[in-house]
Amino acid sequence: MALDRLIEAIAKKQNPTVAGLDPKLDYIPGDIKEKAFRQYGKTLDGAAAAILEFNKGIIDALCPIVPAVKPQCAYYEMYGWQGMKALHDTIAYAREKELFVITDGKRNDIGSTMQAYAAAHLGKTEVAGETAAAFGGDALTVNGYLGSDGILPLLDVCRAEDKGIFVLVKTSNRSSDEIQNQALEGGEPLYETMGQYCEEWGEALPGKYGYSGVGAVVGATWPAQLGELRGMLSKTFFLVPGYGAQGGGAEDAAPAFEQNGLGAVVNASRSILCAWQKQNTAPEDYAKAAAKEAEKMRDAILTKIGRIRL
Amino acid sequence: MALDRLIEAIAKKQNPTVAGLDPKLDYIPGDIKEKAFRQYGKTLDGAAAAILEFNKGIIDALCPIVPAVKPQCAYYEMYGWQGMKALHDTIAYAREKELFVITDGKRNDIGSTMQAYAAAHLGKTEVAGETAAAFGGDALTVNGYLGSDGILPLLDVCRAEDKGIFVLVKTSNRSSDEIQNQALEGGEPLYETMGQYCEEWGEALPGKYGYSGVGAVVGATWPAQLGELRGMLSKTFFLVPGYGAQGGGAEDAAPAFEQNGLGAVVNASRSILCAWQKQNTAPEDYAKAAAKEAEKMRDAILTKIGRIRL
């Protein structure tokens, strides 16, 4: 199952982190933008071209270091279909470089509509007997508020195409308690129920390292809940946002991991993409600065969790 | 606020329904597909071209009848960026015909990422001082599982651009009870809490007919809950899926409405788009068949709720 490929890449690179590709124009060096705007104007096409060139530089620099990248759909969608083409091309480029791609779309719907999202991001789209991969990631983040009708349509595609999903369980933001921490009749918070559904849904996609193809998103900003859920959800691999710019550190992310260093992949986006601005690096060295920051993050987490063993 | 525009269109056309534009290739007459495939091949481009032509025919036929259309993003996204271009062009065409466009994306994220979705679907995207509308709908469906951090970023854009949102509260699918009906400590189901958040979030976007710019999605397949929520959420306009192919009828949708016929807009997708197949109409009359079905749905609901009065 797909998360096996992610887990193997994590062990091989000894790096349980994923680099978020959230390419705001503010993060992109002026030269890249000016070149794109000269060619396409200050337009959605121009922005999309700048984003793609920036991403390729980041991917080239990070691919020896990180096992995975996580493009955030919103930062492509805001540039229209032109941005979505940049998302497609980014995913294709990252996969060429043998990176595992987690498409962060938080998609959700039911039945045949969810099948359409599964085709879009994980499977293949059929057109009159011919097939094509629309976006072609390795895993997709999804929102489980609609229940099993929104998740089961993904599982068949995951099995057939060797892909995975990550379901939002306890998100990194401050107000995640408003809904996710609602206490149920037995006193337990709602996010535990969502977590238990992940275990249940995951039974359809068993993996060889003990983790299913149905992962969970749990924020590094909630270390206590992260540890609680790690103890409770033995077959569920975690995608952990909230590291770096959102305030979580290596010690906050550590409860997501088992003794063998498996169990989670920690995401950072802004701190890596903007490293050149924070380090006062020359803009043309933005990718080198990102690589340095990614190594720093890897080392900080490995110091806490030790060597990763399959 | 934006839902005022929707409400005025509903009253003017005396029609509280919205046509879902979920254009599966199976629904599209052979001639339209063959023409597109001849020009672009059996490719994502070919599929996108067929979808756009089909949609234009549907929009031309429906625009005198329905106040609004609701394109479902998944059915465009599955055809890649080419499909997203067809989504853009469909929205632009529908707005040219003065239809209110509800983009059904069920998007969700937090902070600046949610701002990016707001820009993509409701607002404008800035590119180095120039602005462009990426997709340009009038309202967006969203998922509130992440709490206020996922909703508040939309409200500023809604105010500035005269747009609205619909938050998933109680969805039409059978398994919606798994999460949405979880009983909280006081015994009340979670969807009531989500509904009350809609009322609270809506305070920032008051409207002139008593409904805010923050609507709620409540399925026609749950008439008892629909009536309960209608009584509880006095300022929240409802988007009601589940009519037609999903099993809900006019009597099931009726509890969504107040005495004056306001309070909700009911969606049907498949029953309208496939009407030509169900009615054994000639394929070239698919749009006429859709219009006839839309009129039938309008009349069935109006029979239950009476004349709509502003």
Side-chain angles (χ1 to χ4, degrees):
Chain A
M1 292 292 101
L3 298 188
D4 290 344
R5 288 193 283 122
L6 173 61
I7 290 165
E8 286 159 6
I10 287 170
K12 188 175 163 199
K13 292 183 179 167
Q14 285 293 303
N15 187 353
T17 75
V18 47
L21 297 178
D22 305 8
K24 290 192 179 188
L25 287 186
D26 291 347
Y27 302 170
I28 302 181
D31 281 359
I32 293 177
K33 286 188 283 200
E34 279 151 32
K35 186 180 139 204
F37 296 157
R38 267 197 309 276
Q39 193 167 356
Y40 300 102
K42 291 176 179 174
T43 60
L44 300 178
D45 292 282
I51 286 170
L52 182 60
E53 188 182 336
F54 176 75
N55 282 352
K56 285 183 173 177
I58 292 280
I59 289 167
D60 286 340
L62 294 188
C63 72
I65 303 164
V66 301
V69 291
K70 181 177 77 62
Q72 164 53 256
C73 289
Y75 292 108
Y76 302 84
E77 216 162 300
M78 71 183 283
Y79 299 106
W81 60 266
Q82 298 94 330
M84 294 304 270
K85 184 169 189 310
L87 173 64
H88 169 274
D89 295 349
T90 295
I91 292 172
Y93 192 79
R95 297 191 78 211
E96 258 174 57
K97 301 283 173 174
E98 296 185 2
L99 288 166
F100 187 93
V101 177
I102 303 170
T103 305
D104 194 355
K106 299 183 176 63
R107 297 303 195 243
N108 62 111
D109 217 292
I110 55 169
S112 58
T113 307
M114 202 64 207
Q115 279 172 5
Y117 278 131
H121 293 289
L122 299 173
K124 295 195 185 79
T125 296
E126 203 208 305
V127 181
E130 304 293 323
T131 56
F135 290 100
D138 294 296
L140 177 68
T141 62
V142 300
N143 185 320
Y145 184 71
L146 292 89
S148 297
D149 295 325
I151 303 298
L152 301 181
L154 294 155
L155 302 184
D156 289 339
V157 175
C158 286
R159 192 181 303 102
E161 305 282 341
D162 190 23
K163 306 286 172 104
I165 59 172
F166 290 94
V167 180
L168 302 184
V169 170
K170 174 64 183 162
T171 57
S172 60
N173 56 304
R174 188 140 292 278
S175 73
S176 69
D177 57 356
E178 290 176 359
I179 299 295
Q180 298 162 28
N181 284 41
Q182 284 287 334
L184 304 184
E185 277 183 313
E188 75 283 13
L190 177 70
Y191 66 75
E192 287 186 12
T193 301
M194 192 68 91
Q196 274 149 359
Y197 271 113
C198 292
E199 289 272 297
E200 194 182 312
W201 292 325
E203 283 171 19
L205 299 173
K208 44 180 164 161
Y209 305 106
Y211 299 101
S212 81
V214 178
V217 176
V218 188
T221 47
W222 307 105
Q225 287 87 340
L226 197 47
E228 176 211 340
L229 288 166
R230 179 69 291 151
M232 186 181 291
L233 309 176
S234 65
K235 292 175 294 181
T236 305
F237 203 80
F238 290 175
L239 169 61
V240 180
Y243 188 95
Q246 278 188 58
E251 63 288 359
D252 301 307
F257 295 90
E258 302 283 1
Q259 292 286 331
N260 59 2
L262 290 180
V265 65
V266 182
N267 178 76
S269 304
R270 213 181 323 164
S271 54
I272 292 175
L273 301 183
C274 297
W276 67 277
Q277 292 167 325
K278 298 256 167 67
Q279 296 169 11
N280 280 320
T281 310
E284 61 270 26
D285 291 330
Y286 76 96
K288 268 189 222 166
K292 204 170 129 190
E293 183 66 27
E295 286 173 335
K296 199 175 120 192
M297 178 184 173
R298 173 197 65 195
D299 295 345
I301 294 176
L302 283 186
T303 300
K304 295 283 171 197
I305 68 167
R307 193 170 168 76
I308 299 161
R309 301 179 307 277
L310 280 191
Chain B
M1 294 291 100
L3 298 187
D4 290 343
R5 289 194 282 122
L6 172 61
I7 291 165
E8 286 160 5
I10 286 170
K12 188 176 162 199
K13 291 182 179 168
Q14 284 293 305
N15 187 352
T17 75
V18 47
L21 298 178
D22 305 9
K24 290 193 181 187
L25 286 186
D26 291 346
Y27 302 169
I28 301 181
D31 282 359
I32 292 177
K33 286 189 283 201
E34 280 151 32
K35 185 181 140 203
F37 295 157
R38 267 197 308 275
Q39 193 167 359
Y40 299 102
K42 291 176 179 173
T43 60
L44 300 178
D45 292 281
I51 285 170
L52 182 60
E53 188 183 336
F54 177 74
N55 282 352
K56 284 183 172 176
I58 292 280
I59 289 167
D60 287 339
L62 293 188
C63 70
I65 301 163
V66 301
V69 291
K70 181 176 76 62
Q72 163 55 255
C73 289
Y75 291 108
Y76 301 85
E77 216 162 299
M78 71 182 285
Y79 299 107
W81 60 267
Q82 299 92 330
M84 294 305 269
K85 185 170 188 308
L87 174 63
H88 169 275
D89 295 350
T90 295
I91 292 171
Y93 193 78
R95 297 190 79 211
E96 256 174 58
K97 302 282 173 174
E98 298 184 0
L99 288 165
F100 188 94
V101 177
I102 303 170
T103 306
D104 195 355
K106 299 184 176 62
R107 296 304 195 241
N108 62 110
D109 217 290
I110 55 170
S112 58
T113 307
M114 202 63 208
Q115 279 171 5
Y117 278 131
H121 293 288
L122 299 173
K124 296 194 183 78
T125 296
E126 203 208 303
V127 181
E130 305 292 323
T131 56
F135 289 101
D138 294 295
L140 178 68
T141 62
V142 301
N143 185 319
Y145 184 71
L146 290 89
S148 297
D149 295 325
I151 303 297
L152 300 181
L154 294 155
L155 302 185
D156 289 339
V157 174
C158 286
R159 193 182 302 101
E161 304 282 342
D162 190 23
K163 306 287 171 103
I165 60 172
F166 289 94
V167 180
L168 300 184
V169 170
K170 174 63 183 161
T171 57
S172 60
N173 56 305
R174 187 139 292 277
S175 74
S176 69
D177 57 355
E178 290 175 0
I179 300 295
Q180 297 163 28
N181 285 42
Q182 284 288 332
L184 305 184
E185 276 183 314
E188 74 283 14
L190 177 70
Y191 65 75
E192 287 187 11
T193 301
M194 192 67 91
Q196 273 148 1
Y197 272 113
C198 292
E199 289 272 297
E200 194 182 312
W201 292 325
E203 283 171 19
L205 299 172
K208 45 180 163 162
Y209 305 106
Y211 299 102
S212 82
V214 178
V217 176
V218 188
T221 46
W222 306 105
Q225 288 87 341
L226 196 48
E228 176 210 340
L229 288 166
R230 180 68 291 154
M232 187 180 291
L233 310 176
S234 64
K235 290 176 295 182
T236 304
F237 203 80
F238 290 174
L239 169 61
V240 181
Y243 188 96
Q246 279 188 59
E251 62 288 358
D252 301 308
F257 295 90
E258 303 282 2
Q259 292 286 331
N260 60 1
L262 292 179
V265 65
V266 182
N267 178 76
S269 304
R270 211 180 324 164
S271 54
I272 292 175
L273 300 183
C274 297
W276 68 276
Q277 291 169 324
K278 299 256 167 69
Q279 295 168 12
N280 280 320
T281 311
E284 62 270 26
D285 291 330
Y286 77 96
K288 268 189 222 166
K292 203 169 129 189
E293 183 67 26
E295 286 173 335
K296 200 175 119 192
M297 179 185 174
R298 174 197 64 194
D299 296 344
I301 293 176
L302 283 186
T303 299
K304 295 283 170 198
I305 67 167
R307 194 171 167 76
I308 300 161
R309 300 178 308 276
L310 282 189

